[in-house]
Amino acid sequence: MDEFRYQHGVLHCEAVPAADLARLAGTPCYVYSQSTLTQHFERLRDAFAPLSPLLCYSVKCCSNLAILRHLVSLGSGMDVVSGGELQRARLAGCDPAKIVYAGVGKSDEEIRLALTERIGLFNIESEMEFENLSRIAKEMGLKTSAALRVNPDVDPKTHRYTTTGKRESKFGVDLERAEAFFAKYGHDPMVSLRGIHLHIGSPVYSTAPYLESVEKALRLMDALAERGITITTLDLGGGFGADYESDQSPLAIDYAQTIVPLLAGRCTGSSPLRVILEPGRTIAANAGILLTRVEYVKQSGDRTFAICDAGMHSLLRPSHYGAFHFVWPVAPGESMVPPRRARELVMPGLVRTEVVGPLCETGDFLAEDRLLPTVARGDLLAVYTAGAYGMTMASRYNSHPLPAEVLVNGTTATIIRRRESFADLIAHEVS
Ligand code: LLP
């Protein structure tokens, strides 16, 4: 379900050959398909339509202003986790009422900024944070709204680094403490605490953990109602999967079929529950690829290395999480077009290849032990499903400038972030 397709043996993003994009922006570069972003946003919106949720795109996954502007034009709100993301969202024209702000370590300065901007919702992660928000709101004379991030102790069965809704994680407040939290802070004069926020992990490849966590949240809501505290907002967070391999992830409609029936009854009537979703990866991941050029090919022992100009500094996920990203040449020829994106493709003429970067670390790889068509110096490779947590986690390690970013819309390609120069690299150093 994306617009990166081979035509006559050559990869295109929408109607533009990938090689043209590499010429336009140089490599490494991130390439995004606008129409894929639109389709992914709309399929989630349509799947959850019975709940009329507010979709708050998770800025952290791909935060280029052009991408944010496009999502704002589709009606999206934004989920932010820092003052920087908040300013990006505002600069992209997002209505502040549609901005939700999570994060365990909001600084006083960031809280002041968010209050000044009159954002829609603070997602609160601890007692101390709530008290701090209330204090600052009072000082500034600005009232606001908040949801309590509840830790439902549900296992999302994903990488431990991105498991967030299990007890012992640093996120949210344990379910057992939540009632007491609302009893203590639920009548604060400055901060109206009438929401529950969940975000259990990312990516979540089955619907069962959502079922479990929403059921727990509903039990909490009912217990609070008995104490006279009405919850008006339920923010379910993000975590919906993406297809790193073809057909790996449930569809938006699958997640919706699990979640909608639990909430539909509460989203109608005179005071309907407001539902918020914070999708990131499911919108952006398959809307982006990383283009990289092979600098050298070499043998070492019995292994073949394709040494590329992108590496862990351009896309950290393989190295950091052991994440799988499908990699394939941009111009393999008609007979070598991959039938699907999978770990092992059985096709004649493939060679076991290590796709690595230029950095001085053995952990600097994009793909380990992959069967690929023979690659040569100068070939372009596409690293797929790189639109989420790609560019936003890139670094300048080994003093490599950050990659360029290109947005394609039909036949038009626009550079939305220029490649950094050496001057950019040292711009903040003093002397
Ligand atoms: N809401 C909250 C509160 C979050 O912490 C996150 C992601 C999201 C929404 C969006 O989740 P998504 O829909 O994108 O799954 N760097 C990791 C992923 C970290 C996710 C952090 N929080 C990776 O590359 O897999």
Side-chain angles (χ1 to χ4, degrees), residues 348-359:
L350 300 183
V351 180
R352 280 213 178 269
T353 308
E354 309 293 323
V355 183
V356 301
L359 304 193

Side-chain angles (χ1 to χ4, degrees), residues 183-205:
K184 185 164 178 192
Y185 300 115
H187 302 285
D188 189 273
M190 300 308 296
V191 183
S192 163
L193 181 67
R194 286 289 175 271
I196 291 177
H197 177 224
L198 301 165
H199 173 73
I200 52 177
S202 169
V204 186
Y205 278 114

Side-chain angles (χ1 to χ4, degrees), residues 148-154 173-176 178-179 182 194-200 209-225 229-237 259 262-263 266 273 275:
L148 174 63
R149 180 165 179 176
V150 172
N151 182 334
D153 194 23
V154 167
V173 167
D174 293 346
L175 202 53
E176 297 73 28
E179 264 193 74
F182 277 97
R194 286 289 175 271
I196 291 177
H197 177 224
L198 301 165
H199 173 73
I200 52 177
Y210 286 99
L211 180 69
E212 200 183 331
S213 60
V214 172
E215 279 177 342
K216 285 185 175 178
L218 291 179
R219 279 201 288 278
L220 172 63
M221 277 170 63
D222 293 341
L224 289 170
I229 299 171
T230 310
I231 295 299
T232 56
T233 299
L234 180 60
D235 180 344
L236 300 179
I259 295 169
L262 299 173
L263 299 177
R266 302 188 189 231
L273 179 68
V275 174

Side-chain angles (χ1 to χ4, degrees), residues 58 60 79 162 199 202 238-239 278-281 317 321 389 393:
S58 196
K60 64 177 83 63
D79 151 47
T162 56
H199 173 73
S202 169
E278 302 172 348
R281 188 190 314 266
R317 304 191 71 261
Y321 307 111
Y389 308 105
M393 292 176 76

Side-chain angles (χ1 to χ4, degrees), residues 378-409:
D379 282 358
L380 281 172
L381 301 181
V383 185
Y384 290 80
T385 325
Y389 308 105
M391 184 63 179
T392 50
M393 292 176 76
S395 78
R396 300 183 180 89
Y397 187 35
N398 281 200
S399 286
H400 285 282
L402 288 176
E405 293 180 287
V406 182
L407 182 61
V408 174
N409 181 16

Side-chain angles (χ1 to χ4, degrees), residues 61-142:
C61 86
C62 185
S63 61
N64 186 290
L65 287 170
I67 307 272
L68 302 187
R69 271 191 206 105
H70 178 60
L71 288 160
V72 167
S73 80
L74 299 175
S76 187
M78 300 276 148
D79 151 47
V80 304
V81 289
S82 68
E85 287 191 353
L86 171 54
Q87 292 184 75
R88 278 183 183 275
R90 292 292 292 126
L91 203 54
C94 187
D95 176 354
K98 292 186 181 176
I99 296 179
V100 299
Y101 182 11
V104 287
K106 302 175 189 79
S107 70
D108 290 8
E109 193 185 341
E110 289 175 313
I111 290 174
R112 273 189 219 105
L113 174 68
L115 285 168
T116 308
E117 291 286 346
R118 305 278 211 280
I119 66 158
L121 195 69
F122 282 85
N123 285 333
I124 300 294
E125 307 248 8
S126 66
E127 288 82 352
M128 208 182 270
E129 183 196 334
F130 187 91
E131 288 178 13
N132 196 37
L133 171 61
S134 173
R135 177 185 65 79
I136 297 173
K138 195 167 172 196
E139 264 169 34
M140 296 177 72
L142 292 172

